[in-house]
Amino acid sequence: LLGSSIYLALITGEVMSFKLPIVTYVLKEFNAAPGSEEADCLSAIAVSLATLLLLALITLCVVLVVPLTPLLTGEAAGIISANTSSALFGVLATSALGRRLPGGYTAKGRLLGLVAPVIFVALVIIFDKQLSVLLGLDAALGYHGSGVIMSAYSGAVIILTIPITYFSTRLLYRRGAITLTELRHGDAISR
């Protein structure tokens, strides 16, 4: 879908939540076939404009942060920030638990793909102390307690879960435990 504008989209970020929906909308509005030269030009324009819009928004926020500091540090801001995480994770959980996917597909059994990464992270947490001694991380960091890997190397653990999630989900898909069904126009499915 992104065509030759994939580099710009990946470098500037917000691909899944901002740029890809814009490109999808533009291609649908102009009835451009994905992969065509017309679609490539339209996606390049859409990604470029989305990037400029995002940069303008970031610039505006930077300019306004000083005059809005009293408002951003007040009591109301404290209440808002205390509830932000639960609101975000609630939305993510709702979309993750639903069967309908973007692009007109529905998935059955897609939560099975979470089993392998959850088991991996649970094993890292359970055997954290033994792993840190085995790998020599406790001596290197001068820390002789539990939680060395999860506190010092949580980013590495997250990165390791990506291929685990990918390959386990792919295996489940090939074995038929996870199935994708394309929705026909007008089909309704419960979230």
Side-chain angles (χ1 to χ4, degrees):
L1 284 177
L2 293 173
S4 60
S5 63
I6 186 81
Y7 180 74
L8 178 63
L10 293 176
I11 289 296
T12 56
E14 296 295 331
V15 177
M16 293 300 289
S17 62
F18 191 57
K19 296 197 175 93
L20 198 57
I22 290 173
V23 169
T24 305
Y25 176 77
V26 167
L27 293 181
K28 185 183 272 185
E29 285 297 312
F30 284 92
N31 293 325
S36 66
E37 189 174 334
E38 179 187 16
D40 192 38
C41 291
L42 288 170
S43 66
I45 292 168
V47 168
S48 300
L49 289 175
T51 301
L52 289 173
L53 179 65
L54 195 60
L55 287 173
L57 185 63
I58 291 171
T59 304
L60 182 68
C61 289
V62 168
V63 169
L64 292 177
V65 76
V66 173
L68 294 177
T69 300
L71 179 67
L72 296 173
T73 57
E75 183 182 342
I79 295 170
I80 292 169
S81 64
N83 294 307
T84 301
S85 295
S86 58
L88 287 174
F89 285 115
V91 169
L92 290 173
T94 303
S95 64
L97 295 175
R99 286 186 9 204
R100 188 173 181 151
L101 298 174
Y105 287 90
T106 181
K108 290 182 183 172
R110 72 179 180 152
L111 292 179
L112 293 173
L114 291 175
V115 172
V118 167
I119 290 173
F120 170 71
V121 172
L123 289 174
V124 169
I125 291 170
I126 292 168
F127 297 110
D128 188 274
K129 184 173 174 94
Q130 292 84 353
L131 283 172
S132 62
V133 170
L134 180 71
L135 297 173
L137 299 175
D138 59 337
L141 295 173
Y143 184 72
H144 301 289
S146 62
V148 173
I149 292 177
M150 287 308 290
S151 62
Y153 297 100
S154 60
V157 172
I158 291 170
I159 289 173
L160 285 173
T161 60
I162 294 171
I164 291 170
T165 304
Y166 173 75
F167 289 114
S168 65
T169 305
R170 185 175 175 166
L171 178 71
L172 290 168
Y173 177 74
R174 286 190 174 185
R175 294 216 172 144
I178 298 174
T179 59
L180 292 177
T181 308
E182 188 172 4
L183 293 174
R184 292 180 305 274
H185 186 67
D187 283 352
I189 187 166
S190 62
R191 291 264 286 152

